[in-house]
Amino acid sequence: MKRNQCWTGEGLGSDSDLVSTTASAPARPVRPALVLAICCLSLLIVGLDNTIVTIALPRMRADLHAPLSLSQWTVDSYQLVLGALLLTAGSLADRWGRRRILQSGLAIFTLASLLCSMVPNAQCLVASRVLQAIGGSMMNPVAMAIVSQVFPDPDRRARAFGIWSGVYGLSMALGPILGGILVGTIGWRSIFWINVPIGLLAIGLAARYVPESRGDRPRRADLVGQLLVVTVLTTLTYAIINGRTQGWASPSILGLIVLALVCGAGLIVWESHHPEPLIDPRFFGSLPFAGAVAMALVGMAAAGGYLWVMTFYLQDARGLSATIAGLLMLPLALTVLLVAPLSGRLAARYGARMPLAISGAALMVAALLLTVLSADTPAWLLLASFLCFGLGFGMLNAPITATAVSGMPLSQAGVASAVASTGRQVGQALGVAIVGAVVVAHLSTDPRASLPAASRPGWWIIAAGGAMGVLIAFLATGKVAHRTADRTAARLLSSHQATPLAPGMAAPPEQVIAPSRLPAAGTADALGGPVRPDGNGQAAGV
């Protein structure tokens, strides 16, 4: 069987813009613009699911008679599983076929959404959210790889991912409004119903119009590494959320913390000796890469904690309906939509330091404005905080990806950006766990009346996270940081070449990604995921 052959016309949607896939049967012409539209459907439902579920949490909690800790798990179970499985899903798609994995992910996500709408209690909702995350991990990274495959020209690929980013921004903007309307009129279960027809439509269209493709050099699945990652994240998050209620010195919590530490150490040892590790520990020898992962963790932790607390504040403490709460948060989502493309352009022109520093500072200010929060805080102060948060969150993602792949060998760029994407999901989960645990610990017997005051330590934690982001922005982008990236690239290339580089020799510039070569990926990426330029077509991001 011959390999896929592609030819392109001008623009994204002309009839001459076709990709031919060869097989034993006659090839069926594929229009890249149509493939892009189909893949964007998977992005749409995953993006909507994040913001819609957040706005519905107070009503879910009330109807299912669930404690706040289970509301935390409603978010964290999804984010943790999604982040943990991203890397494995990409390697499975490279080996078994991207369209097949995409359709499987859509089917699982659609079924899980239906189950979420039918759950009798909070525990079943969390279990269904885990199933949703398994499906989600198989969708967006694989869909990005498919888009990369049908848009081989870098410039046209960048335009395609610009559309991809716009769809994500649109889903974020629509989520609070649509979620608020659905929750306020039909009920919270309806927020999961909308995934079902979109998922079924995407499955059918993918079967008809999306070409099958595989990686040139598919990586082997690192199942032991995957198990260790899931164990570390799950046990650590459970200990953070339940430490207050069960007691930090209780045998169960101490046992989970010890298990997380042991598995973390085991993960480092295992990955250091595995020929194709899930996460190569040598990557962290590059300060830009380590800083990007740290910024993903800190920035998304701040974002996750902010949205979780604010949702309960608006609906419980202030007594607003879900519809009004969603409309109030619309300026936040629209700011993200407008700022995200600007962030990529700033990273391309001035480097990643500026947008990363702006992001950290804006998140810090957004939280500081709320440290005096009360039940009757004026609307203009909330709006100012929302706009600052939208600026910080919108500036965050593209420079994280740019920094993560800066100086990396071309063959490792996709893996590096995938690890950064995992950091985003894990960071959001940890933010909800940490900030939520602090806020819950300060609630009185009347949670609604005490929530504004109880949330203040949480806002200080989020502000500290923003300040850390500013510090990371400077540490991860200086001359010393770039030298560590050069040394890391040289070591990585030496391990993959027949003739290793001499000690101290820099990697050939044509084999690594320089910051000046990032505009297309950075500009197109609101989610964080440039296309891997190693021939596999694998892209990373959620």
Side-chain angles (χ1 to χ4, degrees):
M1 180 182 296
K2 295 182 179 180
R3 295 200 54 76
N4 293 352
Q5 300 188 359
C6 305
W7 67 89
T8 59
E10 294 299 322
L12 291 177
S14 63
D15 288 340
S16 61
D17 186 15
L18 303 175
V19 175
S20 176
T21 57
T22 59
S24 55
R28 174 186 298 161
V30 177
R31 291 177 174 80
L34 181 57
V35 174
L36 173 63
I38 295 168
C39 290
C40 282
L41 288 177
S42 69
L43 176 66
L44 179 66
I45 57 177
V46 173
L48 278 174
D49 201 65
N50 275 328
T51 49
I52 282 184
V53 168
T54 299
I55 205 71
L57 284 175
R59 188 65 63 84
M60 290 179 182
R61 175 173 172 265
D63 288 355
L64 297 177
H65 307 288
L68 278 171
S69 60
L70 278 175
S71 296
Q72 291 172 270
W73 277 113
T74 302
V75 176
D76 280 3
S77 60
Y78 181 84
Q79 298 293 346
L80 287 174
V81 174
L82 186 65
L85 298 182
L86 279 177
L87 293 165
T88 296
S91 63
L92 292 178
D94 283 347
R95 183 174 298 276
W96 292 346
R98 298 186 181 114
R99 184 182 66 187
R100 179 180 300 172
I101 295 297
L102 174 64
Q103 289 179 293
S104 300
L106 283 164
I108 293 172
F109 191 90
T110 302
L111 174 61
S113 297
L114 188 60
L115 293 176
C116 285
S117 71
M118 301 167 60
V119 295
N121 53 54
Q123 290 80 3
C124 291
L125 177 61
V126 171
S128 299
R129 290 281 284 166
V130 169
L131 188 61
Q132 257 194 327
I134 294 173
S137 70
M138 302 165 67
M139 289 161 53
N140 288 349
V142 177
M144 291 181 78
I146 293 172
V147 173
S148 169
Q149 189 78 13
V150 299
F151 288 101
D153 178 73
D155 292 336
R156 298 180 63 254
R157 179 189 297 159
R159 291 199 297 272
F161 279 113
I163 295 173
W164 176 278
S165 300
V167 171
Y168 177 72
L170 180 64
S171 70
M172 278 203 64
L174 285 177
I177 304 173
L178 183 59
I181 293 173
L182 289 174
V183 173
T185 56
I186 304 176
W188 65 264
R189 296 179 188 274
S190 62
I191 67 172
F192 297 107
W193 295 343
I194 63 173
N195 295 332
V196 176
I198 297 176
L200 293 176
L201 177 64
I203 292 172
L205 291 175
R208 178 67 176 82
Y209 296 108
V210 174
E212 184 61 280
S213 62
R214 292 176 173 82
D216 292 332
R217 298 177 299 277
R219 300 169 69 243
R220 288 185 295 173
D222 180 8
L223 297 181
V224 173
Q226 182 67 83
L227 178 61
L228 289 172
V229 167
V230 171
T231 303
V232 170
L233 296 179
T234 304
T235 53
L236 183 61
T237 304
Y238 185 92
I240 292 172
I241 292 177
N242 294 281
R244 184 190 66 86
T245 56
Q246 297 185 19
W248 290 103
S250 65
S252 59
I253 297 299
L254 288 177
L256 289 172
I257 294 174
V258 171
L259 179 60
L261 293 174
V262 171
C263 289
L267 176 66
I268 295 173
V269 174
W270 174 264
E271 299 295 82
S272 298
H273 294 87
H274 195 277
E276 292 182 320
L278 188 71
I279 304 173
D280 195 329
R282 293 175 298 177
F283 283 7
F284 292 91
S286 166
L287 275 180
F289 175 82
V293 174
M295 190 67 186
L297 289 169
V298 171
M300 290 303 297
Y306 184 103
L307 293 173
W308 189 85
V309 178
M310 182 53 65
T311 296
F312 281 99
Y313 168 76
L314 291 176
Q315 296 183 53
D316 284 353
R318 294 190 75 115
L320 300 179
S321 68
T323 303
I324 299 301
L327 290 174
L328 277 178
M329 297 181 73
L330 178 60
L332 185 158
L334 291 178
T335 304
V336 174
L337 178 61
L338 294 173
V339 168
L342 175 62
S343 173
R345 288 192 288 270
L346 286 176
R349 175 168 293 186
Y350 301 108
R353 174 179 290 182
M354 178 183 290
L356 285 177
I358 292 174
S359 174
L363 291 173
M364 179 178 65
V365 172
L368 288 175
L369 289 172
L370 300 176
T371 54
V372 295
L373 196 66
S374 65
D376 56 355
T377 295
W380 67 264
L381 185 61
L382 294 178
L383 178 61
S385 178
F386 291 165
L387 293 176
C388 288
F389 178 85
L391 173 63
F393 187 68
M395 282 283 175
L396 182 64
N397 285 304
I400 284 178
T401 300
T403 306
V405 303
S406 177
M408 281 290 177
L410 292 172
S411 61
Q412 300 296 319
V415 179
S417 64
V419 175
S421 294
T422 296
R424 291 181 179 90
Q425 307 303 319
V426 173
Q428 186 170 351
L430 291 178
V432 172
I434 295 171
V435 176
V438 171
V439 172
V440 170
H442 287 80
L443 290 174
S444 67
T445 54
D446 185 357
R448 294 192 175 190
S450 61
L451 180 58
S455 70
R456 291 170 189 168
W459 301 125
W460 282 108
I461 292 174
I462 295 169
M468 288 179 60
V470 175
L471 179 62
I472 293 170
F474 283 88
L475 293 177
T477 56
K479 293 182 179 179
V480 174
H482 289 311
R483 286 198 292 270
T484 64
D486 291 340
R487 290 195 295 268
T488 299
R491 286 196 295 269
L492 292 170
L493 284 172
S494 293
S495 65
H496 289 86
Q497 290 179 346
T499 305
L501 298 173
M505 180 182 295
E510 68 274 7
Q511 297 186 39
V512 300
I513 295 181
S516 61
R517 295 174 63 182
L518 293 172
T523 303
D525 181 28
L527 299 174
V531 177
R532 183 162 78 193
D534 64 356
N536 280 354
Q538 174 69 39
V542 177

